[in-house]
Amino acid sequence: MQNKGVIKLLAIVLALACLYQLSFTFVASNVEKKAAEYAAQFDESIRDNKTQAYLDSIKSKTVYNLGLVKYTYNEVKEKELNLGLDLKGGMNVMLEISVADVINALSNDSQDPAFRQALDLTKQQVINTNDDFITVFARNYDEISNGSPLAYIFNNQTLREKVSPNSSNEEVIRVLREETESTIASSYNVLRNRIDRFGVTQPNIQRLDNGGRILVELPGVKEPERVRKLLQGTASLEFWATYDNSQIYPVLENANAIIAQLNQASEQISEVEAEEETVAEESSELIDQIADDAANADSEAFAKAYPLFSKLSPLTDQTGNLMAGPIVGYAMSYDTAAVNAYLAIPQVKALFPRDLKLMWGVKAIDEAETIFELYAIKANTRDGKAPLDGSVVVEAREEYSQYSSNAEVSMVMNATGSRTWARLTADNIGQCIAIALDGYVYSAPRVNQEITGGRSSITGDFTIQEATDLANVLKS
């Protein structure tokens, strides 16, 4: 009888535990149902966007209150049952990193006949063999070149620090494996960050083998074309000079005033000249996109007088003075789209310096992962492109600082990059240089002095994981 009581108690405890775990799924489902009901009042073509906007707006808000413990929508989504693709639908994508392209890039696109023939032959043979690409390539090159050393091909600007003219084939093969593995790991990191920004709940991304294949599963995704473009786009690592907050704040003040005027004018427009009407309609359409977010402002009066600053908080210290650096403000995750819409208004864009680009930070700055910073980038080159890109980085790794317990990132550039980097750092001593990937800023270290020789250390109170992530970005 005593054993039966214990069994009943265990059964009750187990049932309560199951109900507790299932409750997160029920709460998440109820919130998503409300989001769908909210979106139903809009045109069908924008319902998905409105649903996502609703969910974004409550990411950090409490949706499940158990008294002693409260859960935000983000936390509820993390704890709900993972239904997977079978039950929830979505996308299943298989991506493969081309090892042949990696080898070709490491050779600096060598046109050596034996190298080109060995590479083409390996592409055909690797399909029907269990050996990896590098093993088959090395064997084919040895046969076609009559034993010519691989160092002849790979002792170049890209690998000069790792491959010498006297390196044996075994040493070169080891370097090729290390570089290929690094490229695949960097690609995996880029994909993971892109998926995180896309906002998919419970995604599954994993490497399947050593051949460069990556499986991506995205439950519940309803925009396959957008996801396909997101995953297949080429990663673009860029180094940018930046503006200081004090230089851009007056522009944002003027932008705020214009937006407030347009908001007021949009309520009074009746008949105007055709040209003026077209401009007003364009501005009104952009303003309409963010009109529904007015309730999120701390004060209706403040939001009306300061529409931009009700979404984008200027970066100031406790006394109200502007803080130095390239960050011009911060916004809640659900307000970033509204800020983007405001800043895209033609009359507002006309206020900006011609070489100003505004980019969001890639990671939230708070524990709830809801606040993002906006950086002011100076695109002052003739073609508007970054003065330096990731192609010049030959090595990047995380390590601990010699003078503190914080981690830092060491970076090595090739000869071409070293010259540009020296000029860029010399022109920006005391200023920050932003490191951006796919249009999002990962770090913006301050330049203390001109950096020659192509070797740099990036510091910034990094944890070892943050330093690892930045090193992977630099190697991407």
Side-chain angles (χ1 to χ4, degrees):
M1 293 293 292
Q2 194 172 14
N3 288 338
K4 288 184 178 179
V6 173
I7 293 174
K8 286 182 179 179
L9 178 61
L10 289 175
I12 292 173
V13 171
L14 182 61
L16 290 175
C18 291
L19 288 174
Y20 171 74
Q21 192 61 50
L22 286 171
S23 67
F24 293 101
T25 302
F26 294 142
V27 171
S29 177
N30 186 49
V31 171
E32 289 160 5
K33 182 179 178 181
K34 291 180 180 179
E37 290 173 352
Y38 162 77
Q41 62 184 301
F42 298 97
D43 186 82
E44 187 174 357
S45 61
I46 61 172
R47 283 179 188 170
D48 287 344
N49 290 337
K50 290 296 182 180
T51 299
Q52 190 59 51
Y54 180 96
L55 295 176
D56 287 343
S57 70
I58 61 171
K59 276 184 177 180
S60 60
K61 295 184 178 180
T62 300
V63 296
Y64 191 21
N65 189 345
L66 293 176
L68 296 177
V69 182
K70 298 178 181 180
Y71 296 96
T72 65
Y73 175 66
N74 259 357
E75 292 169 334
V76 166
K77 289 298 289 181
E78 290 175 358
K79 292 180 177 291
E80 74 169 345
L81 291 180
N82 188 353
L83 299 179
L85 296 181
D86 292 340
L87 297 177
K88 198 171 183 179
M91 284 189 68
N92 182 322
V93 181
M94 181 76 71
L95 301 169
E96 184 171 6
I97 310 301
S98 174
V99 179
D101 289 344
V102 175
I103 299 298
N104 185 55
L106 293 173
S107 76
N108 272 356
D109 195 23
S110 172
Q111 297 304 307
D112 178 81
F115 171 77
R116 303 311 311 181
Q117 187 178 347
L119 200 62
D120 292 338
L121 184 60
T122 304
K123 291 178 185 178
Q124 301 172 18
Q125 294 178 344
V126 76
I127 300 174
N128 301 313
T129 180
N130 292 325
D131 292 334
D132 63 84
F133 190 95
I134 294 177
T135 297
V136 178
F137 164 76
R139 185 167 58 234
N140 286 334
Y141 179 78
D142 185 64
E143 293 176 358
I144 294 172
S145 67
N146 294 320
S148 179
L150 284 167
Y152 173 74
I153 301 295
F154 294 100
N155 174 226
N156 51 41
Q157 288 291 336
T158 301
L159 296 176
R160 66 173 182 171
E161 300 289 335
K162 299 181 179 181
V163 176
S164 71
N166 299 321
S167 294
S168 67
N169 282 0
E170 289 74 17
E171 291 173 330
V172 175
I173 290 172
R174 185 180 68 252
V175 170
L176 294 181
R177 292 191 189 283
E178 291 173 353
E179 293 298 310
T180 301
E181 171 61 25
S182 176
T183 299
I184 295 172
S186 298
S187 299
Y188 175 89
N189 187 63
V190 168
L191 290 173
R192 186 190 65 188
N193 287 328
R194 287 180 176 179
I195 291 170
D196 288 345
R197 291 203 306 270
F198 190 76
V200 179
T201 303
Q202 297 176 330
N204 175 34
I205 173 170
Q206 57 181 306
R207 290 181 57 179
L208 295 183
D209 52 34
N210 294 324
R213 290 191 299 167
I214 299 174
L215 173 66
V216 178
E217 293 181 338
L218 306 174
V221 168
K222 299 178 181 179
E223 302 170 274
E225 190 58 35
R226 180 185 169 195
V227 172
R228 190 173 290 110
K229 291 180 179 179
L230 181 75
L231 298 181
Q232 293 180 340
T234 302
S236 177
L237 175 65
E238 300 169 326
F239 297 83
W240 294 96
T242 61
Y243 276 100
D244 189 77
N245 184 21
S246 61
Q247 296 174 292
I248 302 302
Y249 178 75
V251 179
L252 295 180
E253 274 193 313
N254 292 334
N256 182 81
I258 285 182
I259 294 168
Q261 293 173 5
L262 290 173
N263 270 331
Q264 184 177 6
S266 66
E267 299 173 358
Q268 303 173 352
I269 292 177
S270 55
E271 292 184 2
V272 292
E273 295 180 11
E275 182 178 350
E276 293 178 349
E277 183 176 2
T278 300
V279 174
E281 286 176 353
E282 290 177 353
S283 300
S284 180
E285 288 175 2
L286 288 167
I287 294 169
D288 287 343
Q289 294 176 16
I290 54 179
D292 295 325
D293 294 328
N296 293 326
D298 293 336
S299 164
E300 184 177 345
F302 180 82
K304 188 173 183 179
Y306 302 97
L308 176 60
F309 292 147
S310 69
K311 305 294 183 182
L312 179 70
S313 300
L315 192 67
T316 60
D317 58 23
Q318 294 181 346
T319 61
N321 296 318
L322 291 175
M323 295 183 67
I327 301 170
V328 297
Y330 56 89
M332 302 297 289
S333 58
Y334 49 78
D335 282 334
T336 55
V339 174
N340 291 341
Y342 276 141
L343 300 179
I345 295 174
Q347 295 93 320
V348 172
K349 291 183 69 175
L351 298 172
F352 295 156
R354 295 182 62 182
D355 59 356
L356 173 66
K357 283 188 176 184
L358 294 169
M359 293 183 184
W360 292 103
V362 70
K363 290 185 177 180
I365 60 173
D366 62 324
E367 292 184 2
E369 298 184 350
T370 57
I371 302 176
F372 290 82
E373 296 168 322
L374 188 63
Y375 290 76
I377 304 300
K378 186 182 293 186
N380 56 357
T381 56
R382 291 183 178 180
D383 56 6
K385 295 181 180 179
L388 201 61
D389 61 39
S391 64
V392 302
V393 178
V394 296
E395 183 181 340
R397 65 178 182 273
E398 65 282 359
E399 54 189 31
Y400 279 105
S401 171
Q402 297 179 0
Y403 308 105
S404 71
S405 60
N406 295 322
E408 61 183 41
V409 178
S410 63
M411 176 178 63
V412 180
M413 296 183 178
N414 61 24
T416 301
S418 297
R419 290 191 293 270
T420 305
W421 186 236
R423 185 170 62 253
L424 184 61
T425 53
D427 292 342
N428 290 277
I429 294 176
Q431 302 298 317
C432 295
I433 292 180
I435 302 171
L437 181 70
D438 291 341
Y440 289 85
V441 176
Y442 279 73
S443 180
R446 188 174 300 278
V447 179
N448 296 321
Q449 60 185 18
E450 178 184 358
I451 302 174
T452 59
R455 292 182 176 273
S456 311
S457 291
I458 302 173
T459 60
D461 296 330
F462 297 126
T463 64
I464 191 64
Q465 184 58 54
E466 290 170 339
T468 300
D469 290 342
L470 180 56
N472 286 334
V473 167
L474 292 169
K475 291 185 289 187
S476 62

